[in-house]
């Protein structure tokens, strides 16, 4: 009995859980308004990531490529960066930020990114006097970290490049949620507003869910402005909600501009949301309002109907982004679901020392496995294994066939969830997110009972 | 002035050479858009890389083969769950992808050992699978890993497996087209002729350049079965690795997608004297013409006519129902290359649809020659079109429906233009007689979607409030 932490021993991966660093960097980049990331690498590094975002959000996002071809592999790709930056500046008059995202190829070739950006800046100044375009170096070789690290690295690079000096204190709160859905961003903004806190969410992806309008205008873009980013240095404090995705940026603001920084609990589940709100309250001096006490109560009320009747002792496998998986495991414990398998998909050595995992290690009284640097083949092997009984899978769409082929109920959560409609719109964070996820789990289990004729009569009177 | 410099391209005037507007009475031989040329950085081109041209388009379709991608994780992740090519063995090829998960130390010290270990592991984990393709990617090509040597070593250690290597890193060539070429030529050099097929019919073909998108190959297979024609190899829809090793034994190569797979047909002709017959599998007229040509080759014309008559009796009334309702519809096609010339005339002849703009990601000169010959006047022919150009072209030609990929589809949705997936289809298959009725149905349902009218309605009218301001 107890929690075992292990790591993949195979060299190769069968069915990866995460994409590579540049993908994460691109996700952070598109959160900025008037911004087009420019990926320095082969065209596939951009085209497929755009497709991935389109699959998840059912939206198009603008990301450019330097279109690295053979000659650049031999002679270097500087010229293609300069051309790419100028073409973007010429053809997109509102453009203000270009995160220049490197890839494996251009890091191996060894292109001098900072030097090239210097030349770009001179050329931009000459051709567009009076217009400031920030070209931000983002080093994300694909052979290091994963999309998780790439998101963090791009966020950090953007903050580093755009903040220069501390101005008058703004009294604002910086909130760094990490890689989350627009639904989570909307929820966090609502919580800040209900608490009367003047805050900025980095990145504000609310408009990734954008309308069809009579005038055909397109509003699919990030909402975080250059001014928001520059203003982060003047904030009263920063709160990071994701240890592996957003802590680095908040830490930088502390080191460089003395902006106090707290790593709060990632607000998945009731307890973690409580902790986040209390942290915000302590920092800002604003009380937690009755509206959120009510929302908390509604969520508890809903989950109470589900926990000990339907959820208790159900064995759950979870995979996806580390802060999500760990946070959802904590949520599972709250509603009497039994997390038995946590899969984390890259070689970050810090997972093993994550205090949240160590805490679970202390408390669980059943066999639980935390598997680091995992692939989805590990999930499939356990799904096939009659000794590892899995009653429920919580994870993203890339693992869909494990559920389908082994007849295991699965609730899609995280990124990407392209095989279910509209999930990007729903919060998973906060009380509301916990309630929606709990109900989604329940309904999935119910449908499974019905289609498998497994005590489906239980629901005759529920 | 048939070459067109769009407004959005005023700062990149070289784009003028890539966009052609066909005009009545002009000698189209004088105007051929430049194609298969390097992309201008920063233009938001639609192109992918040559690695994906090899892995995602061709190799990854094989239903019994491990796809070992030697590189960092992204190249595997990104070419998985991005295609709709099922198979009759439970879709093995869509469920799995393999990567050597290259990390920095392997970049520094070389990744051959890691590749070797990953290959053995993959065979150990799935002992029923005995075939593998290994692909290089940008970084493993740059550091010079010798994947052929590793493959040889693994085959020596495991006599029952066969491994093919494909060296086309993402930066090779200008688009995915280079990857098609590398895989085709490599395969014919190394693998064709290494397996002898069991011949079960007097009439044998290879069907080349069809990837079983939503069951295309399986639909066409019904025709070949009814005609008594044995397909030795489908290149590569619903195919086994070893089928493709026996391609040298077919009497005829029937080519559908000449861009991705014409190369192998040409080589088979050169080396084994197998004639090449190009057909179009989309559209009633074309499909019937293709069947007639194939049957004429084998002297079984009557069988062919019987099949065509049966299929027409079954499907033509359904097609005509849609034709009546689609005639005059303006369509744009923004796909890879050959579908432009496959579709432009077939939708016109069979459905009365007019194609008003076409953009190709990776077509070559011969694709543009074909499409301009088959296409209409007043239509734009674009090589490597980019996002701003699409917006401008839409304003110029006002299409009713666009056949393109899902991402561009999401973009044009905001402009109240429906899209149909021109790569992976909406609800296919689209090949053959039945398939073209599916295409017509999907186009009809797209064009007549009631939501489009609702989207265009401003409920505040006649009180005019600028919507843009309200939305900001």
């Amino acid at each position: 009995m107890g929690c075992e932490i292990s790591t993949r021993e195979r060299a190769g991966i069968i069915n990866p859980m995460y994409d590579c660093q540049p993908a994460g960097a691109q996700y952070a980049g598109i959160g900025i308004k008037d911004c087009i990331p420019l990926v320095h690498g082969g065209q596939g590094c951009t085209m497929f990531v755009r497709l991935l975002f389109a699959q998840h959000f059912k939206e198009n996002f603008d990301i450019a490529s330097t279109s690295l071809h053979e000659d650049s592999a031999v002679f270097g790709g500087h010229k293609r960066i300069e051309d790419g930056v100028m073409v973007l500046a010429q053809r997109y008059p509102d453009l203000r930020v270009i995160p220049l995202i490197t890839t494996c190829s251009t890091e191996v070739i060894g292109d001098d990114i900072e030097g090239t950006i210097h030349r770009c800046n001179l050329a931009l100044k000459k051709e567009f006097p009076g217009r400031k375009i920030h070209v931000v170096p983002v080093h994300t070789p694909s052979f290091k970290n994963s999309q998780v690290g790439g998101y963090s690295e791009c966020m950090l690079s953007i903050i580093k490049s755009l903040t220069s000096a501390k101005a008058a204190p703004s009294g604002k709160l910086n909130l760094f949620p990490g890689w989350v859905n627009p639904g989570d961003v909307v929820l966090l903004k609502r919580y800040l507003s209900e608490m009367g806190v003047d805050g900025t969410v980095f990145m504000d992806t609310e408009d990734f869910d954008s309308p069809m309008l009579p005038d055909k205008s397109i509003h699919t873009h990030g909402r975080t402005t250059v001014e928001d980013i520059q203003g982060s240095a003047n904030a009263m404090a920063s709160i990071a909600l994701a240890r592996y995705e957003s802590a680095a940026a908040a830490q930088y603001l502390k080191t460089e501009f003395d902006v106090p920084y707290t790593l709060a609990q990632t607000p998945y589940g009731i307890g973690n949301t409580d902790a986040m709100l209390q942290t915000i309250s302590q920092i800002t001096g604003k009380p937690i309002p009755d509206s959120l006490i009510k929302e908390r109560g509604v969520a508890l009320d809903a989950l109470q109907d589900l926990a000990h009747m339907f959820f208790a002792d159900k064995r759950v496998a979870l995979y996806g982004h580390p802060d999500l998986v760990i946070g959802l495991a904590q949520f599972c414990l709250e509603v009497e679901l039994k997390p038995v398998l946590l899969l984390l998909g890259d070689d970050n050595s810090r997972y093993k020392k994550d205090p949240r995992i160590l805490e679970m290690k202390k408390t669980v009284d059943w066999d639980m496995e935390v598997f680091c640097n995992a692939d989805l083949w590990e999930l499939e092997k356990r799904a096939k294994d009659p000794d590892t009984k899995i009653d429920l899978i919580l994870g993203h769409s890339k693992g869909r066939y494990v559920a389908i082929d082994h007849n295991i109920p699965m609730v899609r959560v995280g990124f990407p969830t392209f095989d279910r409609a509209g999930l990007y719109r729903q919060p998973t964070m906060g009380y509301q997110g916990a309630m929606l996820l709990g109900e989604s789990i329940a309904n999935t289990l119910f449908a499974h009972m019905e289609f498998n004729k497994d005590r489906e009569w239980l629901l005759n009177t529920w | 002035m048939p070459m067109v410099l769009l407004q959005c391209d005023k700062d990149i005037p070289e784009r003028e050479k890539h966009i052609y507007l066909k005009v009545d009475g002009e000698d189209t031989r004088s105007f051929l858009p430049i194609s298969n040329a390097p992309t201008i950085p920063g233009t938001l081109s639609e192109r992918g890389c040559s690695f994906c041209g090899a892995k995602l388009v061709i190799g990854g379709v094989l239903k019994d083969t491990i796809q070992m991608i030697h590189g960092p994780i992204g190249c595997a992740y990104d070419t998985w769950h991005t295609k709709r090519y099922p198979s009759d063995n439970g879709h093995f090829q869509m469920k799995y992808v393999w990567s050597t998960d290259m990390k920095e130390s392997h970049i520094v010290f070389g990744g051959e050992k890691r590749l070797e270990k990953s290959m053995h592991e993959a065979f150990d984990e799935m002992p029923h699978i005995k075939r593998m393709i290994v692909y290089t990617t940008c970084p493993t090509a740059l550091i010079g890993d010798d994947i052929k040597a590793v493959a040889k070593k693994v085959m020596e250690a495991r006599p029952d497996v066969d491994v093919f290597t494909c060296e086309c890193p993402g930066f090779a060539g200008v688009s995915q087209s280079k990857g098609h070429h590398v895989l085709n030529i490599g395969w014919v050099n190394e693998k064709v002729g290494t397996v002898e097929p069991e011949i079960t019919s007097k009439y044998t073909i290879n069907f080349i350049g069809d990837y079983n998108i939503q069951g295309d190959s399986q639909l066409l297979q019904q025709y070949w079965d009814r005609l008594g024609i044995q397909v030795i190899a489908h290149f590569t829809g619903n195919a086994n690795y070893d089928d493709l090793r026996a391609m040298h034994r077919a009497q005829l190569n029937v080519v559908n997608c000449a861009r991705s797979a014409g190369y192998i047909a040409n080589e088979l002709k050169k080396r084994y004297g197998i004639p090449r017959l190009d057909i179009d599998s989309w559209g009633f007229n074309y499909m019937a013409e293709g069947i007639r040509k194939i049957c004429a080759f084998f002297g079984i014309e009557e069988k062919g006519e019987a099949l065509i008559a049966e299929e027409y009796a079954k499907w033509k009334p359904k097609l005509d129902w849609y034709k009546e309702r689609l005639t005059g519809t303006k369509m744009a096609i923004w796909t890879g290359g050959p579908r432009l010339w496959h579709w432009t005339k077939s939708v016109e002849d069979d459905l009365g649809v007019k194609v008003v703009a076409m953009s190709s990601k990776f077509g070559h000169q011969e694709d543009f020659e074909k499409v301009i010959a088959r296409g209409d006047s007043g239509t734009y022919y674009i090589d490597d079109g980019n996002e701003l150009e699409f917006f401008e072209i839409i304003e110029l030609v006002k299409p009713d429906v666009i056949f393109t990929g899902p991402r561009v589809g999401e973009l044009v949705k905001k402009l109240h233009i429906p899209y149909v997936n021109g790569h992976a289809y909406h609800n296919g298959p689209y090949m053959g007689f039945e398939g073209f009725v599916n295409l017509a149905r999907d186009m009809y349902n797209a064009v007549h979607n009631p939501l489009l009218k609702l989207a265009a309605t401003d409920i505040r009218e006649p009180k005019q409030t600028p919507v843009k301001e309200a939305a900001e």
Side-chain angles (χ1 to χ4, degrees), chain A residues 29-65:
Chain A
I30 56 174
I32 305 170
K33 191 163 187 295
D34 302 321
C35 169
I36 299 179
L38 176 63
V39 181
H40 188 34
Q43 291 164 152
C45 308
T46 309
M47 200 268 272
F48 284 108
V49 174
R50 295 181 76 190
L51 177 61
L52 181 67
F53 296 159
Q55 286 186 321
H56 177 77
F57 293 106
K58 311 298 181 223
E59 296 282 354
N60 169 70
F61 295 92
D62 288 349
I63 305 172
S65 172

Side-chain angles (χ1 to χ4, degrees), chain A residues 358-402:
Chain A
L358 297 179
E359 179 64 29
M360 279 188 270
K361 204 172 152 72
K362 268 196 278 182
T363 50
V364 296
D365 55 0
W366 58 84
D367 282 331
M368 174 172 155
E369 188 182 6
V370 179
F371 199 99
C372 301
N373 207 10
D375 55 15
L376 292 172
W377 181 244
E378 293 296 337
L379 176 65
E380 182 160 342
K381 284 208 283 193
R382 283 160 185 75
K384 281 186 168 79
D385 180 358
D387 292 338
T388 317
K389 198 177 154 293
I390 298 174
D391 299 310
L392 174 73
I393 296 173
L394 294 180
H396 57 68
S397 300
K398 291 279 187 179
R400 64 192 302 263
Y401 270 115
V402 179

Side-chain angles (χ1 to χ4, degrees), chain B residues 402-460:
Chain B
I402 301 179
F403 277 56
T404 186
R407 182 177 51 73
V408 178
E410 295 299 339
L411 182 69
V412 299
K413 178 176 76 183
K414 301 287 197 266
L415 308 176
H416 311 169
I417 302 169
Y419 103 100
V420 173
N421 194 320
H423 302 288
Y425 308 156
H426 266 41
N427 293 288
Y430 285 172
M431 281 187 181
F433 303 101
E434 179 182 352
F436 218 62
V437 174
N438 293 338
L439 179 144
R441 176 204 60 211
D442 286 353
M443 194 191 303
Y444 172 82
N445 290 338
V447 172
H448 291 86
N449 185 339
L451 292 172
L452 296 168
K453 206 177 247 178
L454 293 172
T457 307
D458 192 337
I459 57 170
R460 295 162 300 191

Side-chain angles (χ1 to χ4, degrees), chain A residues 11-13 15 19 43 50 58-60 62 65 70 80 91 144-145 210 213 377 380 398 405, chain B residues 8-9 39 42 48 78 80 95-97 99 103-104 114 121 125 171 174 386-387 407 410 414 416:
Chain A
I13 275 187
N15 291 0
D19 207 335
Q43 291 164 152
R50 295 181 76 190
K58 311 298 181 223
E59 296 282 354
N60 169 70
D62 288 349
S65 172
E70 263 139 348
R80 298 194 76 80
R91 297 178 87 219
K144 275 192 192 169
N145 296 322
S210 75
L213 291 172
W377 181 244
E380 182 160 342
K398 291 279 187 179
D405 285 349
Chain B
C8 65
D9 289 338
T39 307
D78 288 342
W80 176 43
K95 289 179 183 172
Y96 300 104
V97 73
S99 168
K103 293 295 176 187
E104 192 166 28
R114 190 170 181 85
E121 285 167 1
E125 293 290 329
F171 58 75
V174 299
N386 60 60
E387 191 162 304
R407 182 177 51 73
E410 295 299 339
K414 301 287 197 266
H416 311 169

Side-chain angles (χ1 to χ4, degrees), chain B residues 188-263:
Chain B
V188 80
N189 279 340
E190 294 169 27
K191 295 300 172 194
V192 172
T194 58
V195 158
E196 288 303 321
E198 187 193 344
I199 303 294
T200 56
S201 165
K202 278 197 288 185
Y203 318 118
T204 55
I205 64 170
N206 294 316
F207 198 83
I208 292 175
D210 152 43
Y211 305 102
N212 201 31
I213 304 299
Q214 291 207 28
D216 276 343
S217 313
Q218 288 162 292
L219 189 150
L220 296 187
Q221 183 64 43
Q222 297 170 20
Y223 302 162
W224 316 134
D225 288 344
R226 280 152 70 187
L227 295 167
I229 295 173
Q230 180 188 358
V231 179
I232 290 190
H234 266 117
F235 193 91
T236 53
N238 194 34
N240 290 304
Y241 181 99
D242 281 3
D243 299 344
L244 307 186
R245 298 167 75 185
M247 293 180 88
H248 59 298
R249 288 300 177 209
Q251 293 155 287
L252 178 68
N253 285 317
V254 180
V255 178
N256 177 67
C257 181
R259 180 74 287 121
S260 63
Y263 311 106

Side-chain angles (χ1 to χ4, degrees), chain A residues 5-19:
Chain A
I5 304 175
S6 49
T7 304
R8 186 181 94 241
E9 281 171 10
R10 281 177 289 119
I13 275 187
I14 306 175
N15 291 0
M17 195 187 301
Y18 305 151
D19 207 335

